[in-house]
């Protein structure tokens, strides 16, 4: 046997040991990753599961006691829907309408602004983009009072016009998201559209927008869930029948309905669970586009 063959034969056990060590390290790393994901997932889901189980307790029960009630009181959801002093279907319609009024324009205007920052060459573009990004660092408390008094002075309180104005003005975070998405499009698309006689707006509407379903889904979910769960502005700017579900459910359900009654925790949590159904359905319907949009945003093509 030659010396070269002998060396190869001696090296084979070492290679096997290295492969086994690498395999064990890989398996250990994957196991730690799955355990971490499961623990974090349990932490995020636990409050919702707790709220759901408490919503099935008797009306006179509080937050303490057995976690799972025997029997389960599913009628709490019917009570929450048909509560006499809270017209749940009416305020649900208000919430859906207000969310649509704010979300649809803000997604479209943010997409248009992101397209402009990504594809339009103009002097001072980068400086303007940095100024826009800097606005995201301004605390909410700084602009909160000024915005409220502005709407109060121009008589827009108790109307939906503030949400319309927020929608058409765009959102800095969403503009950044669309800009990072559109900057990866090949320049040949712009050249082909220009040859066909398309201007900037027509290029955006007919070329870029149809190829942006994934990032549009991401922006719609982020902004839609934000406006759906908004409590502060709905509480301050809307009164009476025009308000949304968030302030009404936060006030709580009382049994028996009246001034001297006591809050029913199970019934209140049943109303809160009903309040979350619509965004959950929307999220599950759009989750594939959401994952695709998150993956492709900011990736160089």
């Amino acid at each position: 046997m030659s010396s070269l063959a002998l060396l190869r034969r001696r090296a084979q056990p070492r290679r096997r040991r290295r492969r086994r060590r690498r395999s064990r390290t890989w398996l250990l790393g994957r196991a730690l990753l799955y355990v971490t994901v499961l623990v974090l997932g349990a932490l995020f889901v636990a409050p919702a599961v707790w709220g759901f189980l408490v919503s099935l307790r008797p009306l006179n029960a509080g937050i303490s006691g057995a976690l799972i009630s025997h029997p389960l009181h599913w009628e709490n959801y019917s009570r929450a829907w048909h509560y006499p002093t809270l017209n749940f279907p009416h305020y649900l319609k208000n919430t859906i309408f207000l969310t649509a009024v704010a979300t649809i324009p803000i997604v479209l205007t943010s997409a248009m602004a992101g397209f402009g920052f990504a594809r339009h060459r103009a002097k001072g573009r980068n400086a303007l983009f940095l100024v826009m990004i800097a606005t995201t660092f301004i605390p909410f408390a700084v602009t909160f009072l000024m915005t409220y008094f502005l709407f109060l002075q121009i008589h827009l309180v108790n109307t939906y016009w503030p949400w319309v104005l927020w929608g058409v003005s765009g959102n800095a975070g969403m503009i950044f998201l669309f800009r990072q998405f559109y900057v990866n499009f090949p320049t040949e698309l712009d050249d082909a559209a220009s040859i066909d006689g398309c201007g900037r707006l027509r290029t955006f509407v007919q070329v870029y927008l149809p190829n942006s379903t994934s990032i549009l889904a991401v922006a719609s979910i982020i902004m839609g869930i934000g406006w759906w769960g908004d409590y502060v502005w709905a509480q301050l700017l809307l009164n009476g029948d025009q308000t949304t579900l968030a302030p009404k459910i936060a006030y709580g359900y009382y049994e028996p309905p009246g001034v001297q009654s006591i809050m029913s925790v199970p019934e209140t949590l049943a109303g809160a669970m009903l309040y979350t159904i619509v965004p959950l359905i929307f999220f599950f319907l759009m989750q594939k586009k959401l994952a695709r949009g998150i993956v492709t945003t900011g990736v160089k093509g």
Side-chain angles (χ1 to χ4, degrees), residues 36 44 94 138 155 164 168 201 209 289:
T36 303
F44 281 110
N94 288 353
I138 301 176
H155 307 289
V164 175
V168 298
L201 182 59
L209 206 58
K289 292 184 181 296

Side-chain angles (χ1 to χ4, degrees), residues 177-178 181 209-221 286 288-297:
L177 198 69
F178 279 105
F181 183 77
L209 206 58
N211 292 289
S212 307
T213 55
S214 59
I215 196 65
L216 287 172
V218 173
S220 299
I221 290 173
M286 305 292 288
K288 290 185 178 179
K289 292 184 181 296
L290 175 65
R292 190 180 305 118
I294 293 174
V295 169
T296 56
T297 302

Side-chain angles (χ1 to χ4, degrees), residues 69-108:
S69 174
H70 297 285
L72 299 176
H73 294 269
W74 294 100
E75 67 274 10
N76 291 345
Y77 285 86
S78 178
R79 289 175 179 269
W81 183 270
H82 298 288
Y83 192 72
T85 60
L86 192 159
N87 191 345
F88 197 99
H90 172 75
Y91 294 112
L92 177 62
K93 292 177 183 178
N94 288 353
T95 306
I96 294 174
F97 175 74
L98 186 63
T99 302
V101 163
T103 301
I104 295 174
I106 207 169
V107 170
L108 294 177

Side-chain angles (χ1 to χ4, degrees), residues 137-192:
F137 296 96
I138 301 176
F140 175 72
V142 174
T143 59
F144 170 69
L145 289 177
M146 292 185 292
T147 304
Y148 173 72
F149 283 116
L150 173 64
F151 290 141
L152 188 64
Q153 291 296 322
I154 58 179
H155 307 289
L156 294 183
V157 175
N158 205 28
T159 69
Y160 290 151
W161 281 109
W163 282 262
V164 175
L165 294 177
W166 282 322
V168 298
S169 61
N171 178 271
M174 294 301 102
I175 292 173
F176 173 79
L177 198 69
F178 279 105
R179 188 261 181 192
Q180 295 302 105
F181 183 77
Y182 288 140
V183 79
N184 300 316
F185 277 50
T187 56
E188 288 78 8
L189 288 176
D190 300 78
D191 297 336

